Amino acid sequence: MSPGRKGLEPDAVTALAADAYVYGSPLVRQLSAVQACLHEGSGMLAPAPFNDFAHADGPATPGTHVPYAPADLVDALAQLDLSGGPVRLHVPDTGGAYYVLQFVDAWGNAFAYLGPRATGTGEGDWLVVPPGWAGTVPGGLSGVIDAPTSVVSVVGRLACDGPEDLPRVRALQQELTLTHLGDRAHRTGLPATEPGVPGELRFFEELRVWMADFPPASADRAYQDRFQPLGLLEEGISPYVSAGPGLVRALGRGLALGRLRVEEAARRAGAAPGGPPGAWRTVPHLRDYNLDHFGVGTLRGPEWTIADREASYLVRAVAARRGRRLPHGYEAVYAHTACDSRGHPLDGLHPYVLRLSPPPPVRAFWSLTVYDSPGGHLVANARERYAIGDRTPGLVHGADGSLTLHLAAERPADPAAAANWLPVPPGRFRALMRLHLPDRAILDGSYVIPPVGPLGGRAEA
């Protein structure tokens, strides 16, 4: 059936197309990113085929040119294709050091985690199996990870304590391996869309093809059936190749309306929080839209799920737009600010202090990094220090256990201040704090990161 032939008026087609964008953009964004990783790479990572890891050479540096890249973590990324059968994942013993492997399905759901919080830091082997797999599990495994879709992204992060720690991290990279165990060859690329579809309808064509190959959870399918009048459930030859001008206009307006809806929701999610000037912004619940797939290391309680399924689609679209690789808040919380305690933009023309009393309560580690604004890049400094945190050697604490960090373009004259100094760019900048395995006090808001204060001024909240 051609789209729009159920008697829908153009305005109704537009409204339905906007809903389809909100619902389907996470799938299109996620699989477009998978495709890019296979052929072009991603950020600091070179391209890699299915079922193979791509590893960064080290933490981000000023030459990385990847916005907001971490200066104390080393990225690893693998795209798994399970269409030919299971994949065996070997994880090395990290000797207690932090790492995380986050498993994300084609719809953007983080459905499993490996790492110290979930599975410890010892050596292990895991079998990642496709949907509906009923084969025999080999012996000697740590466990089985059931994938909701036949294509899965594994997002890895390995803690790195500076250049002297790189040999240890690189040895771990060599031991982080994937082995295809299926009895059929796996894909070399994603299902192809129909040639000849007008560019303005490409989104709908990708959504049509990829929804068919990577079906959602059964609870989502009734909602997905609403999009039959748009042609999104058509099989075989694409209905968009010969779409009439009226339909093209209605779908185009719907696409624009859906994008606007997601952009507005993203702005609301990133809006300045309440409280004092310079308050840090956090989004610990941006991943809570996963309602159906809870594997190793995931939490299912009401605190980490969205009760309204339809509302979860908009949250999922926002996450796909602005935080596709972010973990759940129980794995890590990222806090950021671009203003000081007076509400003024942070600027390297002025020195600042951040008094942490006490330092953030975490079970892994926390660190603070600064990036230029608006670019979000690291800026070279003579000390070559781009992050500071609880793993930084030589920090000077107060008698009460507090920690005062100095954020300034110039090295402080006082030795204790210099030990706690994080160099900042000469112009405007943004501060980002990463809190890995945050304690309950961070998640429930009872621990508040104080605003960054001007040197000599009042730094406390």
Side-chain angles (χ1 to χ4, degrees):
M1 178 182 293
S2 298
R5 288 192 179 175
K6 286 195 173 183
L8 290 183
E9 295 296 324
D11 286 350
V13 173
T14 293
L16 194 60
D19 288 346
Y21 178 83
V22 173
Y23 172 80
S25 61
L27 176 69
V28 173
R29 285 184 181 273
Q30 177 67 22
L31 291 179
S32 296
V34 169
Q35 199 152 251
C37 290
L38 297 176
H39 303 292
E40 304 161 22
S42 175
M44 300 167 61
L45 300 164
F50 274 127
N51 301 336
D52 199 4
F53 271 103
H55 291 289
D57 291 335
T61 68
T64 300
H65 302 303
V66 176
Y68 302 108
D72 51 8
L73 294 167
V74 180
D75 288 341
L77 183 62
Q79 310 303 332
L80 307 188
D81 181 82
L82 308 171
S83 59
V87 169
R88 186 174 185 137
L89 166 65
H90 178 75
V91 179
D93 186 346
T94 67
Y98 178 81
Y99 82 96
V100 63
L101 295 178
Q102 173 183 335
F103 294 75
V104 181
D105 73 9
W107 289 86
N109 296 301
F111 65 90
Y113 292 90
L114 303 182
R117 177 187 60 82
T119 57
T121 60
E123 184 177 12
D125 287 273
W126 297 82
L127 193 68
V128 188
V129 303
W133 186 77
T136 301
V137 177
L141 291 177
S142 301
V144 175
I145 297 173
D146 292 294
T149 54
S150 61
V151 165
V152 167
S153 297
V154 183
V155 181
R157 304 172 188 91
L158 289 77
C160 182
D161 292 337
E164 66 284 351
D165 195 29
L166 270 176
R168 178 192 66 85
V169 173
R170 287 176 177 153
L172 294 176
Q173 291 174 335
Q174 295 298 313
E175 296 183 56
L176 189 60
T177 59
L178 294 160
T179 305
H180 175 62
L181 300 183
D183 55 6
R184 304 180 307 281
H186 58 75
R187 294 185 185 98
T188 57
L190 292 176
T193 54
E194 188 84 18
V197 174
E200 58 267 40
L201 299 184
R202 181 173 176 80
F203 168 82
F204 295 101
E205 173 64 3
E206 290 176 334
L207 183 56
R208 180 188 76 88
V209 172
W210 290 340
M211 278 198 318
D213 274 82
F214 307 102
S218 58
D220 288 339
R221 292 180 189 176
Y223 185 86
Q224 185 172 286
D225 287 345
R226 300 171 60 242
F227 304 130
Q228 175 67 51
L230 303 180
L232 286 172
L233 305 185
E234 296 291 316
E235 298 179 358
I237 297 174
S238 172
Y240 305 117
V241 172
S242 58
L247 179 64
V248 172
R249 284 194 299 272
L251 290 177
R253 287 196 296 266
L255 188 67
L257 182 62
R259 283 173 174 160
L260 180 61
R261 192 182 300 170
V262 174
E263 292 292 336
E264 289 177 344
R267 280 195 292 272
R268 290 195 300 270
W280 295 72
R281 305 178 191 181
T282 62
V283 283
H285 295 287
L286 196 59
R287 278 288 193 184
D288 294 0
Y289 52 81
N290 177 16
L291 305 178
D292 302 292
H293 307 294
F294 297 92
V296 177
T298 57
L299 301 182
R300 193 171 190 162
E303 179 184 359
W304 301 107
T305 51
I306 296 171
D308 184 334
R309 181 172 290 270
E310 190 167 341
S312 76
Y313 300 146
L314 183 57
V315 177
R316 183 175 68 181
V318 170
R321 164 69 179 80
R322 58 174 299 206
R324 197 165 36 82
R325 294 182 185 171
L326 286 178
H328 280 92
Y330 49 75
E331 182 67 34
V333 169
Y334 298 161
H336 60 98
T337 185
C339 294
D340 67 14
S341 58
R342 304 163 298 180
H344 298 162
L346 295 171
D347 195 304
L349 290 173
H350 312 289
Y352 301 93
V353 291
L354 174 60
R355 187 170 186 272
L356 302 171
S357 179
V362 294
R363 288 170 288 126
F365 71 94
W366 64 266
S367 66
L368 176 68
T369 309
V370 295
Y371 302 91
D372 68 3
S373 182
H377 299 111
L378 297 172
V379 175
N381 62 74
R383 189 168 185 175
E384 296 187 344
R385 175 182 279 181
Y386 302 106
I388 193 169
D390 58 3
R391 297 178 300 164
T392 303
L395 293 182
V396 178
H397 290 74
D400 59 354
S402 64
L403 181 65
T404 300
L405 302 180
H406 290 256
L407 284 64
E410 301 294 331
R411 178 187 178 94
D414 177 71
N420 296 358
W421 172 46
L422 179 62
V424 304
R428 291 192 176 181
F429 65 91
R430 179 178 295 274
L432 193 155
M433 187 173 286
R434 293 177 169 90
L435 308 161
H436 294 274
L437 306 191
D439 278 354
R440 172 58 53 186
I442 291 174
L443 296 174
D444 67 18
S446 57
Y447 179 88
V448 177
I449 306 170
V452 176
L455 182 64
R458 184 174 177 81
E460 297 87 344

